[in-house]
C-alpha cells in the first residue's frame, strides 16, 4: 500500500495506508506529484522513479449506483493505488 501523508512532505507520515488496488478520489497537485484527499491528508503519486498511484479512466470509477465517482466533487480526480507487479 501507499502511506498517507499529513503534508506534501514524504517524511510527514500518517498512520493510515491506501491499500493496493483501492480507488481514491482527490485533487492532483504539483504537476502530478501529490494527490490531495482533503485538508491535511495527501498521497504521493510517485516515490522517486516508482509510480505509486495512477489516474483512472471515468468508466472505471463508477459508484455502486452507476454515478461516476468524480461527478459530485468538482475538480477531483479518481486514482488507484498500483498493484504490485
Amino acid at each position: 500500500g501507499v502511506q498517507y501523508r499529513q503534508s506534501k512532505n514524504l517524511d510527514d507520515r500518517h498512520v493510515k495506508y491506501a491499500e493496493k488496488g483501492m480507488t481514491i478520489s482527490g485533487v492532483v497537485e504539483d504537476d502530478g506529484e501529490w494527490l490531495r484527499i482533503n485538508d491535511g491528508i495527501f498521497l504521493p503519486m510517485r516515490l522517486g522513479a516508482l509510480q505509486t498511484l495512477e489516474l483512472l479512466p471515468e468508466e472505471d470509477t463508477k459508484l455502486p449506483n452507476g454515478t461516476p465517482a468524480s461527478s459530485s466533487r468538482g475538480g477531483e480526480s479518481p486514482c488507484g493505488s498500483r498493484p504490485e507487479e
Side-chain angles (χ1 to χ4, degrees):
V2 182
Q3 192 168 16
Y4 290 97
R5 302 303 200 275
Q6 297 179 77
S7 69
K8 293 180 188 178
N9 178 336
L10 289 174
D11 295 327
D12 195 9
R13 292 180 172 91
H14 194 281
V15 295
K16 294 188 177 185
Y17 287 81
E19 296 179 26
K20 292 180 189 92
M22 86 184 289
T23 301
I24 305 140
S25 289
V27 178
V28 177
E29 297 183 345
D30 295 348
D31 295 322
E33 293 296 315
W34 290 96
L35 182 70
R36 179 171 47 89
I37 310 304
N38 61 38
D39 291 335
I41 304 292
F42 300 88
L43 280 170
M45 298 283 292
R46 66 178 60 250
L47 294 170
L50 177 67
Q51 185 79 30
T52 57
L53 299 176
E54 59 187 345
L55 290 173
L56 297 176
E58 279 192 40
E59 62 269 9
D60 290 345
T61 58
K62 303 261 188 228
L63 297 174
N65 66 3
T67 304
S70 60
S71 68
S72 63
R73 299 176 145 177
E76 290 195 1
S77 299
C79 293
S81 60
R82 295 178 61 92
E84 287 186 25
E85 297 179 19

